[in-house]
Amino acid sequence: MTAVWAGWPVLDTSRVGRRDNAWTGANFRRGGYLDHADRYRRAEEFLTVARALWDGWDDQAVATSTDAPAWSVPGAVRRVRHRGPQFDVDLAPTLPRSAQGHPVIFQAGDSGEGRDFAARNADVIFSAHGNDFDDALAFAEDIRRRLRAAGRPDDDLRILPGTEIITGATEEEAEEKKRWIRLQQVTPATALGIAGLLWGIDLSDRDADGPLPAEDPVVAENDGSFGARRIADPRSVVAEWRAKAEAHGWSLRETVIALGPQRGHVGTPSGLADKFARFVRHGAVDGFNVTPYLIPDGLDDIVDLLVPELQERGVYRTDYTGTTLRDHLGLRAPLTHRSAPERRQAG
């Protein structure tokens, strides 16, 4: 699959060697390479085992008397035995489950397989579909369709696209802040690193504020090393970069900034609140997973300026109604704590 998003090439993963996560496996699994097709199989089996462990304690399993011979009620903790392709477990859970029953399950993955996995298992799904209203709504409608197919209510999964929010007192101030932020985010070294991935050569000795490299890009196969990816059709992307850089008089760094991912929202607090209220009221999102442009201060403008505007429009809470994250997100009981009719008909 080849596509272009916001001026940058999307990675062509259909032809990339599937050893790109071997370094992760070496740290977090027995063995290195996990076949790409097995990722969600492993994740689903992991959740099956984890839920069995969480549910191994009854709700009232903890002894309430200091005179009790043990701190758990006899018979209230069940042994978990599981043998599958990925996990072999035989143990009695040693800790009671939390006040929210199960931890909130978050999923991030935009493939059809990933969306189906979320519809079967997750409480919250992250996405990259939070910039454009129509795109966000189409994603949300697709997720709701998959939820119904999985036997769940179509409002059973919270949709939180990741986004950056830049706000200022005026539109001009917000745009000027955006330009400043991009210069902080894309340093000369960063620009050379990004361009080097596209050209397939080491550009660390070049001038980021000079012209684009005159060389043609080197097309190389993925070698499975740490984080390695191959960009789809780098020659055509380089040609586009050169044409736009020449037309606008951009340096290499300016080109990377101008043609880089444009995820995010820029505007006044009032204008952004109107935009976000539309997203929420039409069911395109349940909220946003905010990526601060400066940690931790990047949240200050959102908390101080944007949140009051959202509260005035009735799309942001003014107080909390519970004590757990599950409560705050308005989620139902964990899936294994519901009957079949509850899973299909809740809400």
Side-chain angles (χ1 to χ4, degrees):
M1 177 180 66
T2 302
V4 173
W5 171 64
W8 273 22
V10 171
L11 303 176
D12 182 356
T13 57
S14 63
R15 292 173 292 171
V16 170
R18 299 306 189 184
R19 300 191 298 119
D20 55 286
N21 64 353
W23 67 273
T24 309
N27 279 309
F28 299 106
R29 288 191 303 273
R30 293 177 181 174
Y33 169 58
L34 179 68
D35 189 81
H36 189 84
D38 288 335
R39 294 177 308 155
Y40 283 113
R41 297 190 189 103
R42 180 180 177 86
E44 197 130 24
E45 188 177 339
F46 177 92
L47 272 179
T48 296
V49 176
R51 284 174 169 141
L53 294 172
W54 297 330
D55 290 339
W57 283 68
D58 289 339
D59 288 335
Q60 306 301 323
V62 179
T64 58
S65 170
T66 56
D67 297 327
W71 74 295
S72 61
V73 175
V77 180
R78 292 173 298 283
R79 193 170 192 86
V80 174
R81 293 180 173 87
H82 172 93
R83 177 168 291 179
Q86 302 285 344
F87 300 97
D88 189 354
V89 174
D90 182 359
L91 58 82
T94 57
L95 294 174
R97 56 174 174 251
S98 72
Q100 55 189 358
H102 290 180
V104 176
I105 305 299
F106 291 77
Q107 190 272 351
D110 203 23
S111 66
E113 187 181 14
R115 296 185 190 193
D116 282 337
F117 176 87
R120 292 191 303 271
N121 296 286
D123 299 303
V124 179
I125 185 169
F126 293 141
S127 85
H129 302 273
N131 264 20
D132 176 76
F133 173 80
D134 291 335
D135 178 53
L137 185 59
F139 176 82
E141 290 174 342
D142 179 67
I143 292 298
R144 286 191 277 268
R145 178 183 62 78
R146 294 173 193 266
L147 281 166
R148 290 191 294 270
R152 296 175 65 183
D154 62 8
D155 64 345
D156 212 31
L157 187 64
R158 297 291 175 262
I159 300 172
L160 301 180
T163 194
E164 183 182 74
I165 298 173
I166 300 172
T167 187
T170 65
E171 294 289 345
E172 292 75 16
E173 180 181 315
E175 287 295 333
E176 181 59 32
K177 184 183 291 186
K178 174 186 172 182
R179 285 190 287 272
W180 176 83
I181 289 168
R182 294 292 179 261
L183 287 172
Q184 309 311 306
Q185 292 174 330
V186 184
T187 64
T190 300
L192 291 170
I194 292 172
L197 290 175
L198 177 57
W199 261 264
I201 57 177
D202 181 7
L203 298 176
S204 59
D205 61 345
R206 308 295 177 92
D207 180 8
D209 294 315
L212 272 63
E215 299 96 326
D216 289 332
V218 175
V219 180
E221 291 298 322
N222 187 314
D223 65 0
S225 61
F226 177 88
R229 297 291 191 274
R230 185 168 65 80
I231 294 174
D233 196 8
R235 291 189 180 92
S236 65
V237 176
V238 165
E240 179 187 359
W241 280 32
R242 284 173 173 158
K244 291 187 176 181
E246 182 178 355
H248 295 280
W250 292 336
S251 67
L252 184 151
R253 185 183 182 195
E254 290 169 332
T255 303
V256 170
I257 292 173
L259 300 182
Q262 302 300 312
R263 280 176 57 187
H265 298 272
V266 181
T268 64
S270 177
L272 290 175
D274 287 339
K275 178 192 287 189
F276 294 160
R278 181 182 179 223
F279 275 63
V280 171
R281 286 171 177 154
H282 286 81
V285 304
D286 292 294
F288 289 97
N289 176 30
V290 178
T291 304
Y293 53 81
L294 182 65
I295 298 175
D297 299 333
L299 289 173
D300 289 352
D301 287 347
I302 296 171
V303 173
D304 297 337
L305 304 176
L306 179 58
V307 167
E309 294 282 351
L310 293 169
Q311 289 172 328
E312 283 188 12
R313 288 158 178 78
V315 294
Y316 197 97
R317 76 175 83 234
T318 56
D319 55 28
Y320 290 101
T321 57
T323 59
T324 68
L325 179 60
R326 186 172 292 276
D327 292 332
H328 299 336
L329 292 171
L331 296 169
R332 299 183 177 91
L335 289 172
T336 59
H337 294 196
R338 308 183 206 172
S339 64
E342 285 177 326
R343 292 185 63 169
R344 291 192 300 270
Q345 300 172 12

